[in-house]
């Protein structure tokens, strides 16, 4: 069946009606119920033809259309939520890709027949994907690899993180991971959109599930009820520039915020075609404020989008100009060392990069500890489950070892800058920048 609209009417919301009218069940009870398999395509001319048309404001012209609604091969594709907050659209889909999971095993897991599938249903269910303004933010299958990879490397590198800030992270999973550290006394999440938190609680409960550590004093099954959690629904850029900018009025001492040991920036990607993304990654005032918001041994963590390919142009001339600008400014404003690593299991159809900026060199030295040292530190630091097991699902000492040295692609792209760094030709030279994957790969480590 091919349905189309000639106006602004939306087809996806009427999928249940389409199934009801055209998915006629068989008269014979021994035959299976019909299955709805669908895809959605945008037709016609839009950008450049329709006045004021902005593809970034149409979710179906972004990740939603490319990776979800436009695909026909998924065995399960269910729109779970389509809503709008005061700031953005929020969509949640359930998907089952036949190349990774078997739909028959999933149906068997729903039966109470004592089979392996029914006893372990968590291994056979569909994926769940969160999209904001049509851009994939998080997936159920990639939840632990992504959120544990942006939180725990920095947290376990810092000797004693007590006060931690999160910029963004509205679905709650970044907060969930930070709260697993016993050293944390306050976790401040600055998120402008309270609506995302509320919708995630209802439709993505796993992201805000702290039940694995809820038996500890002051903890709760819902992460936001943890006594250490402090959710502030306001503009994060304004919060940091108002409280930590070097231009801040010193007469406001009574309202001074204490600095943080770790700051995690888990928000827009640097290459998002949104004006606010450019400010987040290139604003001088904001980046200086982040520097001043950290303690002397503090660590800044920033998710910086898809990892480069080995044959990709330099960030400064390619699609990641904002990422390149941020690294230059971090170096300019005083960070002593900058490191990038990537994680390939985050569920974003690409490896994903995380940037760490160290305010002092001594803390950076802890980054290169052995996997045994890291495991010992994790066993002392991470709050255990009621059964005495680690509450981490993905991250451990061996995983950390894989993050310690940047991949070859980072070196290749770094050396394609218009003004090529000297160490690209002579690896015995010291670089002048806080960020040098060449020295990290060949000299420092």
């Amino acid at each position: 069946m091919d349905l189309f609209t000639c106006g602004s009417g939306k087809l996806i919301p009427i999928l249940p009606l389409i199934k009801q009218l055209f998915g006629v069940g068989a008269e014979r009870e021994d035959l299976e119920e019909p299955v709805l398999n669908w895809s959605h395509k945008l037709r016609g001319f839009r950008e450049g033809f329709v006045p004021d048309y902005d593809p970034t404001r149409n979710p179906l012209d972004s990740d939603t259309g490319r990776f979800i609604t436009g695909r026909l091969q998924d065995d399960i594709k269910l729109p779970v939520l389509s809503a709008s907050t005061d700031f953005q659209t929020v969509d949640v889909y359930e998907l089952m890709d036949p190349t990774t999971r078997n739909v028959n095993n999933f149906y068997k897991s729903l039966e109470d027949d004592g089979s392996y599938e029914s006893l372990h249903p968590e291994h056979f269910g569909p994926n769940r994907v969160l999209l904001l303004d049509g851009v994939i933010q998080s997936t159920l299958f990639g939840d632990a690899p992504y959120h544990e990879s942006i939180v725990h490397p920095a947290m376990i590198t810092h000797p004693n993180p007590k006060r931690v800030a999160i910029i963004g992270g509205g679905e709650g999973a970044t907060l969930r991971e930070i709260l697993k550290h016993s050293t944390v006394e306050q976790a401040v999440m600055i998120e402008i959109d309270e609506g995302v938190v509320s919708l995630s609680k209802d439709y993505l409960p796993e992201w805000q599930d702290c039940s694995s550590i809820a038996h500890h004093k002051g903890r709760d099954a819902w992460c936001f009820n943890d006594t250490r959690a402090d959710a502030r629904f306001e503009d994060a850029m304004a919060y940091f520039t108002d409280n930590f900018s070097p231009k801040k009025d010193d007469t406001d001492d009574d309202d001074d915020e204490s600095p943080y040991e770790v700051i995690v920036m888990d928000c827009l990607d640097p290459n998002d075609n949104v004006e606010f993304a450019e400010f987040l990654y290139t604003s001088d005032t904001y980046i200086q404020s982040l520097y001043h918001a950290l303690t002397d041994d503090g660590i800044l963590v920033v998710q910086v989008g898809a990892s480069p390919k080995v044959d990709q142009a330099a960030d400064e001339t390619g699609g990641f100009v904002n990422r390149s600008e941020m690294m230059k400014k971090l170096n300019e404003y005083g960070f002593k060392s900058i490191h990038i690593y990537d994680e390939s299991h985050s569920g974003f159809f690409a490896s994903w990069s995380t940037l760490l900026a160290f305010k002092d060199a001594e803390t950076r030295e802890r980054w290169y500890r052995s996997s045994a040292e890291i495991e010992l530190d994790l066993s002392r630091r991470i709050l255990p489950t009621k059964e005495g097991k680690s509450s981490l699902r993905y991250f451990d000492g061996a995983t950390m070892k894989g993050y310690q040295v940047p991949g070859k692609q980072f070196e290749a792209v770094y050396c394609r800058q218009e003004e090529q760094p000297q160490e690209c030709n002579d690896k015995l030279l010291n670089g002048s920048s806080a960020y040098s994957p060449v020295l990290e790969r060949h000299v420092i480590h």
Side-chain angles (χ1 to χ4, degrees), residues 104-366:
N104 293 322
N105 288 344
F106 167 57
Y107 291 139
K108 191 171 182 62
S109 74
L110 302 178
E111 301 175 3
D112 187 17
D113 60 0
S115 64
Y116 179 84
E117 291 86 350
S118 66
L119 295 174
H120 303 278
E122 67 276 10
H123 301 316
F124 301 97
N127 197 5
R128 188 162 279 211
V129 183
L130 167 67
L131 303 103
L132 300 180
D133 282 340
V135 178
I136 294 176
Q137 302 296 315
S138 187
T139 71
L140 179 61
F141 293 172
D143 168 26
Y146 173 68
H147 291 103
E148 291 191 18
S149 72
I150 66 171
V151 169
H152 300 302
M155 291 290 288
I156 206 64
T157 297
H158 194 282
N160 190 27
K162 295 181 178 180
R163 195 163 189 258
V164 182
I166 306 164
I167 301 170
E171 67 269 34
T174 303
L175 173 66
R176 178 194 68 205
E177 296 306 318
I178 286 170
L179 293 174
K180 292 178 181 178
H181 285 257
S182 59
T183 59
V184 172
E185 297 175 359
Q186 185 182 28
V188 180
M189 189 188 85
I190 306 114
E191 163 64 59
I192 197 170
D193 195 348
E194 186 175 2
V196 171
V197 176
S198 299
L199 291 170
S200 297
K201 182 181 181 181
D202 294 332
Y203 295 94
L204 305 167
E206 297 89 348
W207 277 254
Q208 301 179 11
D209 181 10
C210 282
S211 59
S212 66
I213 60 170
H215 57 287
H216 295 278
K217 185 178 180 181
R219 314 293 82 88
D220 192 86
W222 185 45
C223 298
F224 287 88
N225 276 346
D226 190 301
T227 56
R228 300 167 297 166
D230 181 2
R232 305 182 186 184
F233 300 108
E234 57 182 289
D235 184 337
M237 285 189 70
Y239 166 80
F240 280 98
T241 55
D242 289 347
N243 289 286
F244 299 101
S245 169
K247 299 178 183 178
K248 181 178 180 291
D249 187 351
D250 292 334
T251 61
D252 297 334
D253 290 341
D254 292 340
D255 299 324
D256 278 356
E257 286 269 3
S258 300
Y260 298 92
E261 279 79 25
V262 177
I263 298 174
V264 181
M265 188 165 133
D266 179 22
C267 43
L268 294 170
D269 301 338
N271 61 321
D272 279 351
N273 190 20
V274 181
E275 186 177 9
F276 186 60
E278 182 177 349
F279 290 136
L280 275 174
Y281 289 88
T282 65
S283 167
D284 291 270
T285 302
Y286 174 59
I287 293 175
Q288 287 184 73
S289 299
L290 293 177
Y291 179 85
H292 291 288
L294 287 165
T295 56
D296 291 340
D297 60 353
I299 303 173
L300 173 67
V301 185
V302 186
Q303 75 85 10
V304 287
S307 301
K309 306 297 184 184
V310 73
D311 57 353
Q312 192 169 303
D315 280 354
E316 63 181 13
T317 55
F320 285 89
V321 176
N322 292 340
R323 180 164 67 191
S324 173
E325 278 297 306
M326 181 176 222
M327 284 193 282
K328 291 177 182 177
K329 292 180 187 295
L330 291 172
N331 177 68
E332 178 183 347
Y333 293 126
F335 284 95
K336 296 297 188 293
S337 182
I338 299 169
H339 176 82
I340 290 186
Y341 60 94
D342 67 338
E343 171 55 55
S344 59
H345 300 91
S346 298
F348 296 136
F349 302 100
S351 292
W352 220 249
S353 299
T354 301
L355 176 151
L356 263 64
F358 295 85
K359 203 168 177 180
D360 77 333
E362 291 184 11
T363 306
R364 167 59 184 268
E365 291 177 4
R366 290 174 51 86

